[in-house]
Amino acid sequence: MEEDYIKIIFGLKLKQIRTERNLSLFGLSKLSGLSKSYLNEIENGKKYPKPDKIMTLAEKLDVPYDQMVSLKLDKNLAPIGDLLSSKILKEIPLDLFGIKESDLIDIVANAPSKVNAFISTIIKIAQNYNFSRESFFLASVRSFQEANNNYFEDLEQGVLNFAKAYQINLDLPITSRDLGEILVEEFGYTIVDDELNKFQALDNLRSVFVPKTKTLLLANEIDEAQRTFIYAKELAYNFLEIKERLYTFPWIKFKTFDQVLNNFYASYFAGALIIPSAKIKVLLNEIFEKDTLDRDLFLKAIENFNASAESFYQRLTNILPKEFNLQNLFFLRFTHKSGSEKFYLKKELHLSHEHSPHANEAGEHYCRRWVSIKMLKDISRSKKEHEFDFQISNYPEDGMKYLVLSSATKDPFKENHYRSISVGLLINRQLQRKINFLSDPKIITQDVGVTCERCPIKDCEVRQKPAIYLEQAAKNKKVESIVDELNAKFQS
């Protein structure tokens, strides 16, 4: 973008100066002796004039030469300059989203004032919601997942190729021993188990990879499923020949968008290796064919794999859209501390469209009728290893119902902290064709909202706050109605 950036900046400045002088392109052409088509290409960032032509333009427009060639923009165009020169724009592979650099340049060059207003608005919204660079990158990856229905055929095939190359039997549960042996023998890793726990500040880290010596440091608290997932991610980085990567799990910080995207690729590969597509499809078919939702059968399906409940639910978001054509689904992960009334939505994914349960950054209170919240309350009281439940969530306001499956587990790295993971499937004809147990009377239907502050449900016994936004909307509607009546009265 460096050369293009210089061309765009010069073109924007020339166009701004010309319009401030009330000159048309034709008028500037007559004044400068340069052709109208040539000036148009300059203003659109297609060409950069030679010094003698810049001198001519500077003289005719009565602007110092140094000001013309400076890359500094005035405050009206500064946000565009910041965007074009930012690392974010350079790091995000625009072609991932079907955008050509030339298209972006044309948009900016042809409507700078409108683009500037749009960028300024986005920046203000981001600042208001504390939207960081990391959040922007993560949101971009999530959009990429959603655009592809969270299914990536090349990664699925990569897993099959890996299993064949290293003689991994995907019909059997994969263990950390299976994968650790490949890391050590094939890729020269050294695995150290007792180093991270020497540092209290690293109590949230599960692994650190030291690339120079190919040393993988692991926390003592990780269980077999977590160890297997970490090994599978490391194998993904090596087998897929990914160079730009993150070195800690979970991540601390990242420098480029490619690191975030590659972290997603490695995680997807790991999930597909530990929970193979063919095997989970058979298990889901068995569950869906029954006339009742068999709780034990669902839990056994999770236990069929050497994976956490979260990995299993994540894998559902890959398999259900592709193998069962169930593309209207959402995934939620909440965290909660026992004894607190705060619930944090840390991860979400929405396929097809944004469904009713979604993150709210305005400090509002999530609906306590969600099974996701109920599971967190249940496990904090029971102290069990795993709580599971399901419900049909009915949103009266938008007329949609979802079958929601939810599990809650303890956070092994934080005392008295828990997390719930949920998958919601929109109840429509497609879901009714695929799942026989939807009419099971044991499945409770619960009217729900999104947040208490926006919920229309009357006399809710678990409401945390009044529906202030709905009350304000009703008040505004009443005022509007009275004003209309007054207009009608005094017009006659």
Side-chain angles (χ1 to χ4, degrees):
M1 292 286 288
E2 293 296 337
E3 187 178 340
D4 291 330
Y5 170 70
I6 294 170
K7 290 178 184 177
I8 293 172
I9 294 300
F10 187 89
L12 289 173
K13 294 181 74 169
L14 178 61
K15 189 171 187 176
Q16 185 181 37
I17 295 167
R18 174 177 65 78
T19 53
E20 286 173 352
R21 304 290 193 275
N22 293 318
L23 279 170
S24 65
L25 270 176
F26 180 85
L28 182 58
S29 174
K30 294 285 286 183
L31 183 66
S32 64
L34 303 175
S35 73
K36 179 183 171 182
S37 61
Y38 180 63
L39 291 170
N40 185 55
E41 286 187 300
I42 293 173
E43 288 192 357
N44 285 327
K46 298 291 194 317
K47 288 189 176 179
Y48 190 86
K50 293 181 179 179
D52 60 323
K53 292 183 172 57
I54 296 175
M55 183 66 74
T56 299
L57 289 168
E59 289 176 355
K60 298 301 181 183
L61 293 170
D62 193 24
V63 177
Y65 180 92
D66 289 345
Q67 183 181 331
M68 289 287 290
V69 297
S70 170
L71 294 177
K72 186 177 180 180
L73 292 167
D74 66 22
K75 66 178 183 179
N76 293 324
L77 294 177
I80 292 177
D82 292 341
L83 178 71
L84 293 173
S85 61
S86 70
K87 291 182 179 180
I88 288 178
L89 196 60
K90 295 174 185 176
E91 290 167 0
I92 292 180
L94 297 173
D95 57 338
L96 200 68
F97 302 98
I99 301 172
K100 296 180 180 178
E101 285 185 5
S102 58
D103 295 336
L104 188 65
I105 291 168
D106 286 342
I107 291 170
V108 173
N110 288 324
S113 60
K114 292 180 180 179
V115 173
N116 180 59
F118 174 74
I119 294 168
S120 297
T121 301
I122 294 298
I123 290 172
K124 286 177 182 177
I125 292 173
Q127 290 172 341
N128 187 52
Y129 286 94
N130 194 27
F131 196 71
S132 64
R133 176 171 172 266
E134 286 83 0
S135 299
F136 179 76
F137 282 162
L138 292 169
S140 298
V141 171
R142 189 166 65 245
S143 296
F144 177 55
Q145 291 176 254
E146 292 167 356
N148 289 277
N149 283 324
N150 203 29
Y151 185 85
F152 297 87
E153 186 63 48
D154 55 338
L155 294 175
E156 299 281 347
Q157 186 58 51
V159 166
L160 298 179
N161 294 341
F162 173 84
K164 183 178 180 181
Y166 293 98
Q167 289 297 288
I168 298 290
N169 187 348
L170 296 179
D171 293 328
L172 299 176
I174 293 173
T175 67
S176 62
R177 182 177 180 179
D178 299 328
L179 304 185
E181 186 179 12
I182 300 172
L183 280 175
V184 173
E185 296 295 332
E186 187 73 7
F187 296 106
Y189 272 50
T190 299
I191 299 173
V192 179
D193 286 311
D194 55 359
E195 188 67 26
L196 294 186
N197 292 77
K198 296 177 182 178
F199 305 91
Q200 190 175 357
L202 303 183
D203 59 351
N204 195 42
L205 288 184
R206 302 176 194 180
S207 69
V208 175
F209 179 64
V210 183
K212 188 174 182 179
T213 58
K214 288 191 173 183
T215 302
L216 182 62
L217 309 174
L218 299 174
N220 291 341
E221 292 85 358
I222 61 171
D223 59 24
E224 166 61 12
Q226 291 167 337
R227 181 182 291 267
T228 304
F229 184 80
I230 291 168
Y231 287 179
K233 276 191 72 174
E234 291 299 323
L235 287 169
Y237 283 129
N238 286 276
F239 188 73
L240 299 176
E241 298 181 347
I242 294 173
K243 303 301 180 187
E244 190 145 5
R245 54 160 293 179
L246 301 174
Y247 296 106
T248 64
F249 178 63
W251 59 267
I252 302 172
K253 65 177 181 178
F254 37 76
K255 298 179 180 178
T256 68
F257 178 75
D258 280 345
Q259 287 179 332
V260 185
L261 183 62
N262 290 336
N263 180 66
F264 163 69
Y265 285 151
S267 297
Y268 187 106
F269 184 99
L273 176 61
I274 297 167
I275 308 174
S277 173
K279 188 174 179 180
I280 191 174
K281 183 181 176 183
V282 170
L283 294 171
L284 290 175
N285 269 319
E286 186 180 356
I287 295 168
F288 292 167
E289 286 170 0
K290 288 189 171 291
D291 293 329
T292 59
L293 203 169
D294 191 325
R295 179 190 300 265
D296 292 336
L297 192 60
F298 186 82
L299 293 175
K300 284 179 181 177
I302 298 177
E303 293 165 3
N304 256 277
F305 304 98
N306 185 16
S308 66
E310 181 170 347
S311 293
F312 183 84
Y313 279 75
Q314 291 265 24
R315 192 67 175 129
L316 291 181
T317 68
N318 308 138
I319 300 304
L320 292 176
K322 174 65 177 178
E323 301 296 346
F324 295 87
N325 199 26
L326 299 175
Q327 297 173 2
N328 265 297
L329 64 79
F330 62 80
F331 171 91
L332 306 176
R333 182 180 72 190
F334 275 93
T335 61
H336 170 66
K337 183 180 181 181
S338 180
S340 168
E341 275 301 318
K342 292 186 177 180
F343 300 86
Y344 301 95
L345 182 49
K346 291 296 188 179
K347 191 171 185 178
E348 63 178 323
L349 183 72
H350 298 265
L351 302 189
S352 292
H353 64 276
E354 183 172 75
H355 307 89
S356 294
H358 53 77
N360 186 290
E361 302 297 336
E364 297 174 29
H365 296 73
Y366 292 111
C367 178
R368 274 17 182 199
R369 295 178 172 216
W370 287 358
V371 69
S372 307
I373 304 294
K374 176 182 176 294
M375 286 295 89
L376 286 170
K377 288 187 172 183
D378 287 351
I379 197 168
S380 64
R381 287 192 294 261
S382 71
K383 307 295 184 180
K384 291 181 180 179
E385 292 294 320
H386 186 176
E387 289 277 2
F388 169 73
D389 207 350
F390 46 84
Q391 73 179 37
I392 291 176
S393 292
N394 176 45
Y395 288 83
E397 198 169 15
D398 58 21
M400 292 185 177
K401 293 182 178 181
Y402 298 88
L403 171 66
V404 186
L405 309 172
S406 184
S407 286
T409 58
K410 186 180 183 300
D411 186 332
F413 289 85
K414 293 182 179 179
E415 189 68 27
N416 294 323
H417 281 72
Y418 302 89
R419 55 198 173 196
S420 72
I421 50 269
S422 306
V423 166
L425 305 170
L426 180 67
I427 297 178
N428 54 20
R429 289 184 179 180
Q430 178 65 6
L431 191 70
Q432 290 165 346
R433 282 195 293 266
K434 295 291 182 180
I435 296 180
N436 289 336
F437 61 70
L438 277 180
S439 57
D440 181 357
K442 291 188 298 184
I443 305 178
I444 296 172
T445 297
Q446 180 84 281
D447 286 346
V448 297
V450 177
T451 65
C452 293
E453 288 82 349
R454 301 172 192 271
C455 180
I457 298 172
K458 304 293 184 183
D459 303 321
C460 176
E461 70 283 359
V462 290
R463 180 182 288 280
Q464 302 294 301
K465 290 286 182 179
I468 55 175
Y469 291 103
L470 295 183
E471 291 170 1
Q472 185 61 50
K475 183 179 179 180
N476 292 342
K477 190 173 182 179
K478 185 175 182 179
V479 170
E480 185 181 343
S481 175
I482 294 172
V483 170
D484 288 342
E485 289 177 10
L486 290 171
N487 279 327
K489 179 178 179 180
F490 289 98
Q491 280 178 354
S492 56

